Amino acid sequence: MKKLLVVLSLLPLFLGCKEVKKKQQTTQVVKEEVPKKEVPFVWEGANIYFLLTDRFNNGNPENDVNFERTEETAVLRGFEGGDIQGITQKIEEGYFTDLGINAIWFTPVVEQIHGATDEGTGKTYGYHGYWAKDWTSIDPNFGTRKDLEKLVKTAHNKGIRVLLDVVLNHTGPVTEKDPVWPDSWVRTGPKCEFTTYENTTACTLVENLPDILTESNEAVELPDALLAKWKDEGRLSKELDELQLFFERTGYPRAPRYYVIKWLTDYINDLGVDGFRVDTVKHVNENAWADLHKEAEYAFETWKKKHQDKILDDNPFYMVGEVYNYGISGGREFNFGDKKVDFFDYGFKSLINFELKNDADKSYEDIFKKYNKLLQTKLKGKSVLNYLTSHDDGAPYDKERSKPYRTANVLLLTPGASQVYYGDETSRSLVIEGTQGDATLRSFMNWEDLDSLPETQKIHKHWQKLGQFRANHPAIGAGKHKRLAKSPYVFSRTYVQGEYRDKVVVGLDLPKGKKSLWVKGFFGDGTKLYDTYSETEVTVANGKVILENNFDIALLELVE
């Protein structure tokens, strides 16, 4: 209704002298042309969708097998066919827009080791993207560089930002097809113990995962295997020339981390990606992250200068870090046991918050009040990325998927940025028979359930409504929280940035039927509000609004 009011007020400007009998038809046309109120994109309140590239959507079955990756693997430890084209298809279909998603993070798409490993869990290929063989190439199982370029352009056209998942800490495992990198590049031991700073950073995460010497400033030569590969592919001189220019411009020594930083930031310089989700942050000397951020910022500004007509906004390049087991209660610092590090001082705008799953069954107010306080004090100017399920957390919230509505409410309404893991919105199973370890978290997206099961469709609709409300209102994730009433539970969020002001009210655990929501002191009497959940317009009277429906949630915004 609120959109129609705007349309009708503008009709005289468009109708001119046309006959009134054409009014209804013209109204429809005008409605589509009326510009939507400009909502600023704010990373602190972003709604980020995280997916495994290989497990989301198969856009091109012709690229499903490459490098003779045909060995039988353990359950869910081989390539399943998902690819970059599949993600782009879903962007084009509006799947993410309808979910209120304004940024997408997908697992790394650089070329993976060609062989399979067997570390006691059955044969495994690098389907997950974290086993890099060549940072300068896109793995053909995921697609091509042109596919990635199209994905970024398509996302940007929909107002969706793109986060690349990047690995600086390690190469892929060693196999018969994938020789170890030279000793000057990597260490192959000792294995990390995670009790001190030293045995968390100067070590290998697991057996047979060579660790890049990211703390070293010693110049190194490129591995012979990589040079030979580039020569076979006809791009040796191009790669060497680009490296020469990079090191001349920066003055960095030709140490291992700077090569990888150059290769990673090329994707920003060439494609205009908006941010990095950075893997295994606590396992790398923090100065390396400052170097990565500096070069990422440079690449982002360079891209913007070349593509001024394609710039989405003036947000700087965004980096969110995975510091495993970091929790928001720790504030800015992560404690290694014998040393504390403030990773926010080394280029990170945000860190993934591992704590929300432990808070998720507390009262809504306890959760929201806690997060609001921490984000407005200790973490002021920074943010956290909240999640409840992920690809490598074996103890997610609601593993049995018995509380999909509460999961949505907690994740999408808690202050901070939100990470929707693919299938959260469709209750994709996290318990797959025959799997070992994190493979059970990584089944293929359950599109069939969404197409055929009414309950899945109902859950999905709930996620869509909350997600769109969140995307339309930065106040939800980035604003200040205040409880307005205890029973029924009603709270407000307010976000102010320059001349932009966003005010919303949300009610949770509401009774079915007729209900009264207390908004006194926030919205004055006579204020027209719109409940986007029930699609109902109401007016504030005597400090409250009255709704009558069978929903236990209300999402109230001002009628423009």
Side-chain angles (χ1 to χ4, degrees), residues 132-133 135 168-174 178-190 201-204 208-216 218 220-221 223 255-257 260 263:
K133 181 183 181 76
W135 278 272
L168 183 62
N169 179 53
H170 55 268
T171 69
V174 180
D178 308 285
V180 67
W181 288 54
D183 289 346
S184 57
W185 276 79
V186 301
R187 63 171 68 84
T188 54
T201 58
C203 50
T204 62
N208 194 26
L209 197 62
D211 188 75
I212 298 279
L213 299 174
T214 49
E215 75 280 10
S216 172
E218 295 296 318
V220 297
E221 298 292 329
R257 72 179 178 277
V260 183
W263 297 330

Side-chain angles (χ1 to χ4, degrees), residues 472-513:
N472 290 332
H473 294 287
I476 291 293
K480 289 186 177 178
H481 168 86
K482 184 180 180 182
R483 183 172 71 183
L484 299 180
K486 189 173 183 179
S487 183
Y489 178 54
V490 181
F491 65 86
S492 66
R493 296 276 167 84
T494 310
Y495 177 79
V496 180
Q497 185 181 48
E499 295 182 2
Y500 179 81
R501 185 174 178 83
D502 186 31
K503 295 178 66 176
V504 296
V505 164
V506 176
L508 293 173
D509 288 342
L510 304 177
K512 291 191 175 182

Side-chain angles (χ1 to χ4, degrees), residues 376-496:
Q376 300 296 333
T377 53
K378 286 183 180 180
L379 290 167
K380 186 76 173 173
K382 301 294 183 180
S383 186
V384 293
L385 178 56
N386 297 315
Y387 79 91
L388 289 175
T389 64
S390 84
H391 64 318
D392 58 6
D393 187 336
Y397 177 71
D398 189 26
K399 192 166 188 173
E400 303 298 325
R401 299 294 200 187
S402 61
K403 296 181 276 191
Y405 297 96
R406 181 172 182 88
T407 299
N409 295 351
V410 170
L411 181 64
L412 298 177
L413 297 175
T414 294
S418 51
Q419 172 211 298
V420 178
Y421 185 45
Y422 79 107
D424 280 351
E425 75 279 20
T426 53
S427 289
R428 177 179 61 84
S429 178
L430 300 175
V431 185
I432 310 298
E433 189 175 345
T435 55
Q436 290 193 30
D438 50 25
T440 197
L441 308 167
R442 304 173 176 183
S443 59
F444 208 87
M445 179 65 176
N446 58 328
W447 298 114
E448 297 86 358
D449 293 348
L450 185 56
D451 290 339
S452 61
L453 301 181
E455 181 58 30
T456 301
Q457 292 164 357
K458 185 181 170 190
I459 290 165
H460 185 245
K461 186 67 176 174
H462 181 72
W463 281 81
Q464 286 181 322
K465 287 183 176 183
L466 261 69
Q468 288 181 32
F469 190 72
R470 180 185 176 90
N472 290 332
H473 294 287
I476 291 293
K480 289 186 177 178
H481 168 86
K482 184 180 180 182
R483 183 172 71 183
L484 299 180
K486 189 173 183 179
S487 183
Y489 178 54
V490 181
F491 65 86
S492 66
R493 296 276 167 84
T494 310
Y495 177 79
V496 180

